[in-house]
Amino acid sequence: MADHIVLAGGGSAGHVNPLLATAAELRAREPGLALTVLGTAEGLEAELVPAAGLELTVIDRVPMPRRPNADALRFPGRWRRAMRTAGAAVAGARAVVGFGGYVASPAYLAARRLGVPIVIHEQNALPGLANRLGARWADAVGVTFSGTPLPRARWVGLPLRRTISDLLAERAQDAPGRAAAAAATLGLDPGRLTVVVTGGSLGARRLNEQVPLVAAELVAAGAQVLHATGRGKLEPVRAAVAAMAPEVAAHYHAVDYLGEMHEALAVADLMIGRAGAGTVGELAALGIPAIYVPLPVGNGEQRRNAAGVVDAGGGLLVEDPQLTRAWLLEHAVPLIGQRGRLRSMAQAAESAGVRDGAARLVDLVDEAVARRSA
């Protein structure tokens, strides 16, 4: 049996984080297993994969041209180079595990040509182009959200990054103590409920504009706010905080970026944010209630990402244009005074979450390899 596995995916955190979590599970089960990651030089994987002690094989980022132009003329040559790189990496592999993105398609095609088992993980409720292609001949398909429209899909949940899986274990031992430690790390009051607001690293203008408008009501209800605005978007929120009454501003903490997001999650009683697959999967696994505000562009995948948790009672969903001061006053502020409801929402979120997604996905890999070897 071949002694290495290829993991293919990159570009965004949604692809890279599950890939790294799966790599860690593979290494935990078989410490001597060689792992090769196919990724681009431009995506997050260029930094995160070597930092995790994994070998990164760089492959050209080759998007399909949409119109006749210079990129279209260069496409055939770039595609051939990508296929050569993918073929060399995949040759003799035990399996290819793909997470979508530009690098996944060459990996899937090379694996098909070479007879290497293919296992796919799709993060979003609506699959991307590469995984829709690869699923046609994949040996196994794992999905984060049940109902994802891919053939033979099995619900495995999201492979959780190491900081989140560690946080799960710590909370199982002593959740109040872990929350108090996180509050001290972040400079928060351990006696108040904590509302974490984030639109991700890029921020979300609607959240940045509207949530500060209900700061006084949130604080009066017994909450404090930790608001990550996104890089380059701090100043307008900081100005809004400066205009608040001192007793309100003391409990409204605005930063541009939360490098230690797991610390914020350790202390969060309620999250207000987007509904990316990683966000939804991690909040559900941790049992954190959320107000999901799907990204108002794209194909509606974020709305579908949050649907299962919301239907279970673990969160509320509001479309971006409807997130206003009036909506927050009616729906968000009352939650702070309804601790029993927050606890019920937390339990419902946890019931919809998966805490062992990496193990489930690696089980799929083992099963696919065993079937091919039988």
Side-chain angles (χ1 to χ4, degrees):
M1 181 178 289
D3 62 354
H4 78 284
I5 287 179
V6 175
L7 300 106
S12 68
H15 294 135
V16 180
N17 285 333
L19 183 155
L20 293 177
T22 304
E25 177 68 19
L26 286 164
R27 282 266 172 87
R29 294 193 187 190
E30 195 174 342
L33 179 64
L35 299 175
T36 299
V37 179
L38 277 177
T40 69
E42 301 87 6
L44 282 176
E45 65 273 18
E47 175 185 350
L48 297 182
V49 168
L54 296 167
E55 175 189 348
L56 177 67
T57 296
V58 173
I59 192 168
D60 285 348
R61 180 180 179 274
V62 192
M64 190 71 68
R66 298 178 182 273
R67 58 181 62 87
N69 55 20
D71 283 340
L73 293 174
R74 288 191 290 266
F75 175 79
R78 295 174 64 189
W79 178 256
R80 285 192 295 271
R81 285 195 299 275
M83 284 299 301
R84 282 196 297 270
T85 304
V90 168
R94 183 186 303 179
V96 167
V97 187
F99 297 83
Y102 290 116
V103 302
S105 294
Y108 298 152
L109 289 166
R112 184 189 187 206
R113 187 181 70 231
L114 295 168
V116 173
I118 301 168
V119 177
I120 286 174
H121 184 269
E122 174 55 51
Q123 295 80 46
N124 287 296
L126 284 178
L129 179 61
N131 280 352
R132 293 202 307 272
L133 172 70
R136 296 177 183 177
W137 51 77
D139 295 73
V141 177
V143 295
T144 296
F145 303 106
S146 59
T148 300
L150 286 175
R152 303 176 307 284
R154 188 187 302 183
W155 180 45
V156 300
L158 180 74
L160 298 172
R161 52 197 170 118
R162 179 66 179 270
T163 54
I164 301 302
S165 58
D166 287 349
L167 177 58
L168 277 166
E170 292 158 3
R171 283 161 60 103
Q173 292 293 318
D174 180 12
R178 185 63 180 86
T185 297
L186 297 169
L188 301 175
D189 182 346
R192 283 183 168 265
L193 292 184
T194 301
V195 179
V196 176
V197 181
T198 175
S201 60
L202 298 178
R205 186 174 68 177
R206 178 70 63 172
L207 272 64
N208 291 348
E209 291 174 349
Q210 297 300 315
V211 178
L213 300 180
V214 295
E217 290 80 5
L218 289 169
V219 171
Q224 61 193 334
V225 179
L226 177 60
H227 186 150
T229 65
R231 288 195 171 105
K233 298 176 181 176
L234 176 61
E235 289 311 314
V237 177
R238 181 177 281 170
V241 174
M244 296 173 186
E247 64 273 17
V248 175
H251 299 293
Y252 202 103
H253 307 265
V255 297
D256 63 346
Y257 180 72
L258 281 168
E260 301 294 317
M261 189 64 193
H262 61 286
E263 296 293 340
L265 295 177
V267 75
D269 296 288
L270 177 68
M271 171 79 83
I272 304 176
R274 296 300 194 200
T279 297
V280 176
E282 291 178 1
L283 293 180
L286 290 163
I288 298 173
I291 294 172
Y292 293 108
V293 189
L295 195 69
V297 297
N299 58 6
E301 69 181 23
Q302 288 203 354
R303 187 182 309 108
R304 294 184 59 162
N305 289 347
V309 176
V310 171
D311 289 346
L316 304 177
L317 189 143
V318 56
E319 299 295 346
D320 192 85
Q322 277 71 58
L323 185 78
T324 61
R325 181 176 188 274
W327 190 96
L328 289 164
L329 287 174
E330 181 178 353
H331 298 281
V333 173
L335 286 176
I336 305 305
Q338 299 170 351
R339 299 200 179 199
R341 186 182 175 198
L342 273 180
R343 285 193 293 271
S344 295
M345 290 177 69
Q347 292 168 357
E350 190 173 9
S351 74
V354 175
R355 285 157 286 286
D356 60 347
R360 295 187 189 193
L361 181 59
V362 173
D363 286 344
L364 281 190
V365 176
D366 289 344
E367 291 170 17
V369 172
R371 283 196 302 271
R372 286 288 192 103
S373 302

